[in-house]
Amino acid sequence: MHDDFAVIRHALPREYTHINIYGMADAHIGAKESSLATLRAWVQRVLADPYGYAIIAGDMINNGIKDSKTNVYEEVMPPRQQKRVCVEIFKPLADAGRILAWIPGNHEDRSVRSVDDDPSYDICVALGIEDVWRPNCAVVKLSVGAVKKDRQVTYGICITHGSSLNKHKKFVAQLENFDVVFSGHTHEEIVYPIYKMHLDLNSGTIKWKRCRVVVLPALLAYAAYAVKKEYTPQLYGSIPVITLSGTRKRVDYHEYDAMLT
């Protein structure tokens, strides 16, 4: 089991001109509002993209247990079955080496606090990707393509599950030399850049560093608990896809339509 700050390193092929990173968070397998059909379609989309890779940012299972806020009587399957289904859905991605990092969310953390057992870790062990699992936060150094014969383009990526938007903004503000930060939790899709000013003491000049912040949407229909608590509707209609260039340092994004089915 690895520490949060044990950096995950990926050196992808030099011939790649780019890669596309598909983020997933808050699938909540086992909740009646969740859509396994859409999740399976998302996995197939990543697999069909020859440059597609995935990061998993927590709450992949709903994990309703007796001391949690979830109404366990509304779960469509028990937690042990949720884990098995999650393994079955993500096995093709794991077998293809397409999962860059996996962290738990607050729903998995319920079991950690109750019985010191993290279901996301069990899932990753079953998938054979324990090396890319981290307990709270994943830091990824990713190299791809080539700018020179002996040097690839290198990116820094941070993945957390997140908390409130205000706390997340403060957390992101303290990060240095990261190109992309992924999170989830709020169930609301947000993508925006932040800029940091650096003073180069050698040259006496100012340099700017841009980081793309990506808050991933939830894989949930607007129903039940969300309606009861009068949350703002967040219908699952698209997923942000981050593109990292393999020919020069550049981060772009577009959206993959994934209407809930």
Side-chain angles (χ1 to χ4, degrees):
M1 188 176 293
H2 297 284
D3 180 78
D4 289 317
F5 302 120
V7 177
I8 302 169
R9 291 175 169 82
H10 293 287
L12 301 182
R14 289 180 172 273
E15 59 268 24
Y16 281 9
T17 58
H18 69 281
I19 65 164
N20 297 316
I21 299 181
Y22 296 76
M24 174 56 66
D26 299 281
H28 292 282
I29 295 171
K32 64 182 181 181
E33 303 96 328
S34 185
S35 171
L36 295 184
T38 304
L39 182 57
R40 293 180 195 278
W42 177 85
V43 168
Q44 291 305 312
R45 167 67 183 238
V46 180
L47 287 171
D49 183 346
Y51 304 105
Y53 289 83
I55 63 96
I56 310 300
D59 281 1
M60 298 313 294
I61 66 172
N62 206 47
N63 199 32
I65 58 178
K66 63 182 180 180
D67 59 349
S68 64
K69 293 181 180 180
T70 297
N71 183 346
V72 297
Y73 300 107
E74 293 183 346
E75 298 282 85
V76 298
M77 63 180 80
R80 63 180 178 275
Q81 184 181 353
Q82 295 172 21
K83 289 199 298 183
R84 289 198 298 268
V85 169
C86 191
V87 169
E88 178 263 318
I89 290 175
F90 282 93
K91 191 175 188 307
L93 276 179
D95 289 348
R98 300 289 195 92
I99 300 177
L100 300 174
W102 191 309
I103 63 167
N106 57 292
H107 278 245
E108 289 93 349
D109 192 52
R110 294 166 172 174
S111 295
V112 178
R113 289 183 284 107
S114 295
V115 294
D116 190 31
D117 179 42
D118 192 321
S120 71
Y121 177 74
D122 297 341
I123 290 166
C124 286
V125 169
L127 290 171
I129 56 169
E130 179 186 356
D131 59 324
V132 301
W133 178 89
R134 295 294 183 270
N136 301 289
C137 166
V139 177
V140 177
K141 178 184 177 182
L142 188 148
S143 302
V144 62
V147 289
K148 292 183 178 179
K149 185 177 180 180
D150 60 345
R151 185 161 61 90
Q152 291 187 287
V153 187
T154 303
Y155 296 90
I157 302 170
C158 182
I159 303 105
T160 69
H161 182 61
S163 54
S164 69
L165 285 179
N166 285 336
K167 284 185 178 180
H168 187 60
K169 287 180 179 179
K170 291 178 181 178
F171 174 79
V172 171
Q174 71 181 346
L175 300 179
E176 293 288 346
N177 208 28
F178 284 88
D179 299 287
V180 190
V181 179
F182 288 97
S183 70
H185 185 67
T186 62
H187 295 190
E188 180 179 1
E189 178 189 347
I190 303 173
V191 181
Y192 64 93
I194 60 171
Y195 298 87
K196 293 194 175 186
M197 181 174 66
H198 293 266
L199 171 61
D200 187 326
L201 295 177
N202 292 320
S203 64
T205 58
I206 297 296
K207 295 182 179 180
W208 292 91
K209 173 73 175 179
R210 184 176 75 166
C211 175
R212 184 82 66 178
V213 180
V214 182
V215 182
L216 298 162
L219 186 60
L220 293 172
Y222 187 63
Y225 185 81
V227 177
K228 182 177 182 179
K229 295 297 183 179
E230 297 181 327
Y231 290 163
T232 303
Q234 298 293 335
L235 293 180
Y236 189 84
S238 63
I239 304 173
V241 180
I242 296 299
T243 299
L244 305 181
S245 173
T247 57
R248 61 189 176 111
K249 194 70 171 284
R250 182 182 175 90
V251 179
D252 294 302
Y253 88 97
H254 62 279
E255 292 189 339
Y256 154 55
D257 288 331
M259 294 306 295
L260 193 66
T261 56

